[in-house]
Amino acid sequence: MERNAFFDNAKVILIFLVVFGHMIQPFTGDSPYIHTLYMWIYTFHMPAFILLAGYFAKGSGSFSYIVQLMKKLLLPYLIFQLLYTGYYYVIDKSGWQTDLFSPHWALWFLFSLFCWHMLLFWFKKLPPILSVSIAIFLGLVVGYFSEIGHMFSLSRTFVFFPFFLVGYLLTEKQVMLVKQKAVQAVSLLVMVGIAVAIYYLPDFNSGWLLASKSYGDLGLVEYGGLARLLVYVSAAFMVISVLSWVPVQHFTWTILGTRTLYVYLLHGFFIQYFRQAELFKVDGVFDFLGLAALSMLLVLVLSSRPILGLWQPLVEGKASIMKKMYHKTVQEK
């Protein structure tokens, strides 16, 4: 059966927003507009990415599947944790000495993704409404414990798990309901409304969207659960709204949606260098558009076949792409 282009198109758009969000983060304090866009992106891009990851987790449960997950997620995590540690040391970035179980920067996703698959073993046995309710409850409760934070990516694992679980429970037909005209019409109000709210609430702590800190660290101990529940609701509406505008047609760039893990793992080497060297500044709209173009270029380059072939042994633990390229070169000679 042909793969639905909608999902790969969505993943391409979301990985671009991941890269672009990281690109503009250093400039959020210089402009209320960049700050608003950054926060707006963060209300949905990881929840949507995680929901799609859950949707493609249909085969979870067997022992062989778990072994494959360890090779696919934990092994690359360990490899890139060491690579980023060495790289941070070379570029003289603070925090390079972090231990193996405190994920460097974006590597938390790999660790959490493995944990989400493990959690499915129990949650998929429950009635859907009950399982999602428990997942949301856990996501709300963990914020009250300061001990649950960045270590082992525990906070993000529990906070974002409801999106992964919902994605797992959804069918393709249910997902495609977002393409209804009525949903698209309402989505415009939602997306604009969230943007306006963020603009007029500039003191809103980005930690609520990053989900790695306790309510105490975020300065809202008593009502932290209520605040996170509002974040959940906002994120859910934003995910639906943004996905409603993802095209369903197959484009030449749609294939890149199958290669987003490479972009996710590798773009940090560039972003962190840009930040350490302070290569860029945003003094106007053209600088801003330049960062958007550079983000798009990074997505294209890091998902290209030569890059995939070079990094596949470390990302996937195999070298099939390099072998095909070698055999093709031999045959042409």
Side-chain angles (χ1 to χ4, degrees), residues 10-21:
K11 291 172 70 176
V12 175
I13 293 169
L14 291 171
I15 198 62
F16 163 76
L17 291 175
V18 168
V19 177
F20 185 51

Side-chain angles (χ1 to χ4, degrees), residues 202-219:
D203 295 330
F204 180 68
N205 195 318
S206 62
W208 290 104
L209 304 178
L210 298 176
S212 60
K213 296 181 179 180
S214 67
Y215 300 146
D217 293 333
L218 294 170

Side-chain angles (χ1 to χ4, degrees), residues 99-115:
D99 63 76
L100 202 59
F101 301 106
S102 293
H104 274 306
W105 199 45
L107 295 183
W108 69 267
F109 181 71
L110 290 181
F111 205 96
S112 290
L113 186 55
F114 178 79
C115 294

Side-chain angles (χ1 to χ4, degrees), residues 94-242:
S94 61
W96 67 270
Q97 309 96 327
T98 186
D99 63 76
L100 202 59
F101 301 106
S102 293
H104 274 306
W105 199 45
L107 295 183
W108 69 267
F109 181 71
L110 290 181
F111 205 96
S112 290
L113 186 55
F114 178 79
C115 294
W116 293 327
H117 279 274
M118 296 301 98
L119 288 171
L120 277 183
F121 180 78
W122 294 280
F123 278 80
K124 68 180 183 179
K125 297 178 180 179
L126 302 173
I129 294 179
L130 178 60
S131 64
V132 173
S133 298
I134 294 175
I136 292 174
F137 176 75
L138 291 175
L140 298 177
V141 169
V142 295
Y144 289 105
F145 298 90
S146 59
E147 299 83 3
I148 301 178
H150 189 64
M151 182 69 72
F152 294 105
S153 188
L154 278 180
S155 179
R156 283 167 166 159
T157 295
F158 285 110
V159 173
F160 286 124
F161 179 59
F163 296 101
F164 186 84
L165 180 58
V166 169
Y168 171 80
L169 294 171
L170 288 174
T171 64
E172 180 176 332
K173 184 177 180 180
Q174 290 170 331
V175 173
M176 297 311 294
L177 290 175
V178 301
K179 299 302 297 179
Q180 296 181 67
K181 295 296 183 182
V183 176
Q184 290 182 328
V186 175
S187 71
L188 296 176
L189 296 176
V190 172
M191 291 188 289
V192 172
I194 293 293
V196 171
I198 293 172
Y199 181 82
Y200 286 103
L201 293 172
D203 295 330
F204 180 68
N205 195 318
S206 62
W208 290 104
L209 304 178
L210 298 176
S212 60
K213 296 181 179 180
S214 67
Y215 300 146
D217 293 333
L218 294 170
L220 200 63
V221 179
E222 294 183 1
Y223 299 102
L226 178 60
R228 176 158 288 164
L229 184 60
L230 292 175
V231 171
Y232 272 148
V233 173
S234 299
F237 277 109
M238 282 295 291
V239 168
I240 293 171
S241 298
V242 172

Side-chain angles (χ1 to χ4, degrees), residues 308-325:
L308 265 62
L310 182 64
W311 285 90
Q312 190 187 33
L314 296 181
V315 176
E316 299 184 50
K318 58 183 180 180
S320 59
I321 297 176
M322 192 71 74
K323 290 179 181 177
K324 288 181 180 179
M325 294 173 66

Side-chain angles (χ1 to χ4, degrees), residues 22 84 88 103-108 150 156 267-268 271-272 275:
H22 288 153
Y84 271 103
Y88 285 176
H104 274 306
W105 199 45
L107 295 183
W108 69 267
H150 189 64
R156 283 167 166 159
H267 81 283
I271 299 295
Q272 294 297 344
R275 292 182 181 181

Side-chain angles (χ1 to χ4, degrees), residues 12-63:
V12 175
I13 293 169
L14 291 171
I15 198 62
F16 163 76
L17 291 175
V18 168
V19 177
F20 185 51
H22 288 153
M23 190 75 77
I24 65 175
Q25 190 275 332
F27 312 106
T28 55
D30 302 329
S31 167
Y33 301 108
I34 294 180
H35 174 269
T36 298
L37 177 61
Y38 173 81
M39 297 287 282
W40 185 82
I41 290 173
Y42 270 73
T43 60
F44 69 87
H45 78 324
M46 286 313 297
F49 224 122
I50 292 164
L51 182 137
L52 293 178
Y55 175 81
F56 286 106
K58 306 303 186 188
S60 66
S62 66
F63 178 75

Side-chain angles (χ1 to χ4, degrees), residues 221-278:
V221 179
E222 294 183 1
Y223 299 102
L226 178 60
R228 176 158 288 164
L229 184 60
L230 292 175
V231 171
Y232 272 148
V233 173
S234 299
F237 277 109
M238 282 295 291
V239 168
I240 293 171
S241 298
V242 172
L243 290 182
S244 72
W245 290 97
V246 172
V248 297
Q249 298 89 346
H250 192 284
F251 303 99
T252 55
W253 50 266
T254 299
I255 186 64
L256 303 184
T258 64
R259 307 170 182 176
T260 53
L261 181 60
Y262 286 82
V263 181
Y264 190 86
L265 291 175
L266 298 174
H267 81 283
F269 292 111
F270 295 89
I271 299 295
Q272 294 297 344
Y273 175 75
F274 294 157
R275 292 182 181 181
Q276 283 297 104
E278 298 182 350

